[in-house]
């Protein structure tokens, strides 16, 4: 097990290097209209994803629990789910190629931060053992990946008309970017909500209460409400385009605060998580 | 009256209430709340943020989640949600039962047959409303998505309020083998006038702890026995797996168990005191200490528990509380010694544990509400109902296309079915 952990960090660094190359090639290829470079970047990202999968597998084996406790594990898992998501999307949906310009650097940042925080292993606290916790965390991973994709489309929409966007090739038109950001915000809302509810079930079985206005719970609810307000604003009040994208950026900032900052509040029951 | 009700239950009000709950929820997460038992954290926060503390004090932001205005906002939100749910359900029913939309756009020279075939291959269901008029739909059940989501939210909110309003809790403290008879006092209760009560004797029969190699507990379970009038029935409860029995739920608490020393103490006046001195479970094998002094008359003592003999071969160490310079007097079971003027006999060791006991209605409707929310959320995203209505005319085929919620998201699907790309086509 210790051997697995010793190898795992090196495999993680290898995945990081491949993601860095992939992000560089895709950015360069897209802005300089070099489709072969862009394609090479995507291939490197896929190889990086395979290696990243191995790294997480080794971590799981070495730590004796899933990669969802320490900052290292959580950020790496978030990076993995986001990369897997965008690769699946590229296979399935036309016009999603351009999203890599935003998502690959985001994944690089997540994995870089993960490795920067250090691979210290922590034992799983007693209350963290159970299927509801695994589901709770897994749904939040998917929700956060969807939020990154949604933000990516939103930011690309916001940059439309700027000199930077003018150099990007292979991006859908502004209306399609706006629509896709809406679609993924819907997915974020769905999975964030389910993540919160599975968390409530976990809390009920662990502590005998399903809701306690814990800071992490409350911020999570706030984030969910803001995504709910965004969806209502789009569907019923016709808000779209730039205004909608800005609201989405605000929702994403709340999501980041909720997932990565509120657990540092000492009064939180989640203080074992992400430390 | 109707206008007030309408404005209170409008969509705009619901959004405003969501924003209100979000803003004050965020504030409540940032400012420690007395209503959540965070008084110590609040004192530190007030010291570190004097200006904000004055503002928060003036606005009454130290007990947001139990304040009348926050609870009123939640109640109005629940009413708005209930009315929105009724409205959405009626709208979904109408959409579900409505005939296909009137076809408007003409595809010149086209015939319905090949379009219907392509639609079938794409997974659409075909309904012939009249000769030459076809209604094709896919994922038609998706019209219920918003309604399902709101029904789930309403059920969850109502049941959560019911649970919060009716659940009573207490902490039961046990020594190994101790029987708790109905009506006996609890270690702590939430509401002394209405504590939970199983109505039968029950007994603590021991903890089972497995640990990681570091000594940290991996799994903790407790064996409890309940007397049903004829025999003792043994049941097990563990962390994350509470025991549901006789309308009550019993939780094993991580960390709320350990060893104890049973002491008989004679004070300076000759009075006898029987004490159970508790020590929390030792994770790393190192000595552990009492978390608070034990007062015996005017004297307070504190203890050290060292069953692995790290500091001393005798497991129990005692000294006067606060006298950190003094070396503890150590005892083994059966020993008697003088500690701070008290005569202390270490009678025996024991195991102790504390359990949360809750009386509450079943939580299942709440979880059913959660499941419905999950289903509705996924339906909203993944179950977009599409409808294509075709009507054969002399010049070709007239059609209408509708994809709910995701305007223009299914244009390529529509074009593939119609076998054409027409710029004049617009979705509603």
């Amino acid at each position: 097990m210790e051997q697995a952990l010793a190898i795992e960090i090196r495999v993680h660094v290898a995945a990081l290097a491949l993601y860095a190359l992939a992000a560089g090639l895709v950015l360069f290829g897209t802005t300089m209209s070099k489709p072969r470079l862009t394609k090479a970047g995507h291939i490197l990202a896929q190889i990086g994803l395979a290696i990243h999968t191995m790294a997480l597998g080794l971590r799981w084996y070495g730590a004796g629990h899933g990669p969802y406790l320490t900052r290292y594990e959580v950020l790496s898992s978030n990076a993995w789910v986001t990369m897997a998501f965008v690769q699946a999307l590229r296979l399935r949906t036309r016009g999603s190629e351009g999203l890599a310009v935003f998502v690959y650097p985001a994944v690089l940042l997540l994995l870089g931060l993960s490795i920067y925080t250090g691979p210290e292993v922590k034992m799983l606290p007693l209350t963290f053992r159970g299927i509801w916790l695994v589901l709770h965390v897994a749904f939040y991973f998917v929700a956060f990946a969807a939020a990154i994709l949604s933000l990516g489309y939103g930011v690309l929409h916001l940059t439309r008309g700027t000199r930077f966007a003018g150099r990007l090739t292979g991006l859908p038109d502004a209306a399609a970017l706006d629509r896709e950001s809406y679609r993924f915000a819907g997915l974020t809302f769905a999975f964030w909500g389910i993540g919160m509810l599975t968390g409530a079930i976990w809390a009920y079985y662990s502590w005998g209460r399903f809701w306690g206005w814990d800071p992490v719970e409350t911020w999570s609810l706030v984030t969910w409400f803001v995504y709910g307000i965004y969806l209502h604003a789009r569907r019923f009040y016709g808000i779209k385009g730039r205004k909608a994208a800005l609201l989405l950026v605000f929702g994403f900032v709340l999501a980041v605060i909720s997932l990565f900052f509120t657990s540092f509040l000492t009064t939180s029951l989640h203080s074992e998580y992400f430390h | 009256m109707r206008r007030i009700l309408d404005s209170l239950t409008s969509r705009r009000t619901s959004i405003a209430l969501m924003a209100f709950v979000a803003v004050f929820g965020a504030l409540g997460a940032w400012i420690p709340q007395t209503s959540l038992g965070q008084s110590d954290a609040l004192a530190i926060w007030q010291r570190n943020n004097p200006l904000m503390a004055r503002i928060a004090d003036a606005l009454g932001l130290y007990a947001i989640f139990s304040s009348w205005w926050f609870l009123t906002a939640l109640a109005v939100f629940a009413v708005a949600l209930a009315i929105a749910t009724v409205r959405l359900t009626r709208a979904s029913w109408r959409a579900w039962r409505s005939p296909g939309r009137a076809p408007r756009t003409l595809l010149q020279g086209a015939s319905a047959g090949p379009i219907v075939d392509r639609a079938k291959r794409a997974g659409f269901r075909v309904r012939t409303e009249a000769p030459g008029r076809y209604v094709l739909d896919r994922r038609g059940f998706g019209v219920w998505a918003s309604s399902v989501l709101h029904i789930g939210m309403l059920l969850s909110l109502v049941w959560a309020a019911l649970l919060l309003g009716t659940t009573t809790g207490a902490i039961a403290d046990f020594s190994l083998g101790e029987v708790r008879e109905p009506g006996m006092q609890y270690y702590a209760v939430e509401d002394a006038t209405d504590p939970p009560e199983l109505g039968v004797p029950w007994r603590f029969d021991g903890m089972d702890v497995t640990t990681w190699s570091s000594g940290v507990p991996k799994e903790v379970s407790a064996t409890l026995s309940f007397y049903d009038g004829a025999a003792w029935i043994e049941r097990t409860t563990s962390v994350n797996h509470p025991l549901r029995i006789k309308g009550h739920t019993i939780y094993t608490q991580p960390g709320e168990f350990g060893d104890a020393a049973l002491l008989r103490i004679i004070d300076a006046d000759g009075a006898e005191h029987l004490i159970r001195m508790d020590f929390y479970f030792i994770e790393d094998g190192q000595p552990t200490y009492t978390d608070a002094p034990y007062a015996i008359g005017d004297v307070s003592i504190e203890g050290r528990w060292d069953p692995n003999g790290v500091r001393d071969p005798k497991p129990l160490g005692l000294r006067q509380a606060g006298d950190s310079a003094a070396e503890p007097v150590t005892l083994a079971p059966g020993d008697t010694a003088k500690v701070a003027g008290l005569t202390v006999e270490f009678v025996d060791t024991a195991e102790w544990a504390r359990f949360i006991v809750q009386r509450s209605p079943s939580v299942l409707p709440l979880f059913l509400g959660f499941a419905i929310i999950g289903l509705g959320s996924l339906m909203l995203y993944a179950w977009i109902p599409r409808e294509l209505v075709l009507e054969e005319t002399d010049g070709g085929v007239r059609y209408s296309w509708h994809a709910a919620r995701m305007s223009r998201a299914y244009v390529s699907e529509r074009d593939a079915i119609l076998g054409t790309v027409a710029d004049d086509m617009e979705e509603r």
Side-chain angles (χ1 to χ4, degrees), chain A residues 3-269:
Chain A
Q3 204 176 2
L5 289 170
I7 299 168
E8 167 264 319
I9 180 68
R10 290 185 195 130
V11 183
H12 254 113
V13 171
L16 179 75
L18 283 165
Y19 286 162
L21 272 174
L25 285 174
V26 165
L27 266 174
F28 190 72
T30 312
T31 48
M32 298 294 162
S33 299
K34 308 265 187 207
R36 287 173 72 177
L37 285 183
T38 310
K39 195 176 173 187
H42 289 313
I43 292 169
L44 282 181
Q46 285 164 355
I47 297 169
L49 180 63
I51 290 173
H52 193 175
T53 309
M54 277 170 52
L56 284 177
L58 286 166
R59 176 75 183 186
W60 195 318
Y61 174 72
H65 59 78
Y68 46 70
L69 183 61
T70 61
R71 266 175 275 187
Y72 177 79
E73 292 164 355
V74 171
L75 290 168
S76 176
S77 297
N78 274 318
W80 185 88
V81 174
T82 309
M83 184 54 94
F85 211 143
V86 81
Q87 293 306 330
L89 192 70
R90 282 186 54 244
L91 289 176
R92 198 169 166 264
T93 316
R94 274 184 301 149
S96 58
E97 297 280 320
L99 188 63
V101 173
F102 181 87
V103 175
Y104 285 6
V107 167
L108 182 65
L109 179 68
L110 283 170
L111 190 58
L113 282 173
S114 159
I115 292 170
Y116 175 74
T117 60
E120 187 201 348
V121 176
K122 270 178 71 178
M123 288 297 144
L124 209 56
L126 268 175
T127 48
F128 278 50
R129 295 171 61 80
I131 186 66
W132 289 111
L133 172 85
V134 175
L135 290 173
H136 171 55
V137 176
F139 282 122
Y140 271 107
F141 284 156
V142 177
F144 189 64
I148 290 177
L149 266 57
S150 170
L151 179 77
Y153 280 119
V155 167
L156 290 173
H157 180 273
L158 282 174
T159 58
R160 276 270 157 191
T162 63
R163 203 191 303 173
F164 170 71
R167 302 179 73 167
L168 294 175
T169 53
L171 283 183
D173 61 31
L177 288 171
D178 187 39
R179 190 178 64 228
E180 291 304 310
S181 70
Y182 177 32
R183 185 202 290 260
F184 281 101
L187 193 66
T188 307
F189 176 79
F191 277 89
W192 195 280
I194 298 170
M196 210 161 52
L197 300 177
T198 47
I201 297 174
W202 167 49
Y204 173 78
Y205 285 124
S206 292
W207 295 296
R209 73 222 209 332
F210 52 86
W211 189 263
W213 295 109
D214 176 85
V216 176
E217 290 172 1
T218 308
W219 270 93
S220 199
L221 180 72
V222 169
T223 307
W224 194 58
F225 272 2
V226 168
Y227 273 92
I229 290 169
Y230 168 85
L231 295 178
H232 279 82
R234 287 205 65 134
R235 189 170 168 199
F236 299 112
Y237 299 107
I239 290 174
K240 55 184 179 182
R242 195 174 170 77
K243 274 186 191 167
L246 288 172
L247 185 54
L248 205 55
V249 172
F250 177 61
F252 184 80
V253 170
L254 290 183
V256 170
I257 292 173
S258 170
L259 289 178
F260 304 133
F261 290 96
T262 43
S263 66
F264 289 102
L265 296 174
T266 51
T267 49
S268 174
L269 272 175

Side-chain angles (χ1 to χ4, degrees), chain B residues 269-292:
Chain B
D269 299 330
E272 184 184 82
H273 305 264
L274 296 173
I275 299 287
R276 192 190 80 189
M277 186 172 267
D278 296 343
F279 300 94
Y280 286 93
F281 177 78
I282 302 174
E283 290 191 350
D284 54 6
Q286 291 297 308
T288 182
Y289 298 85
T290 45
D291 62 339

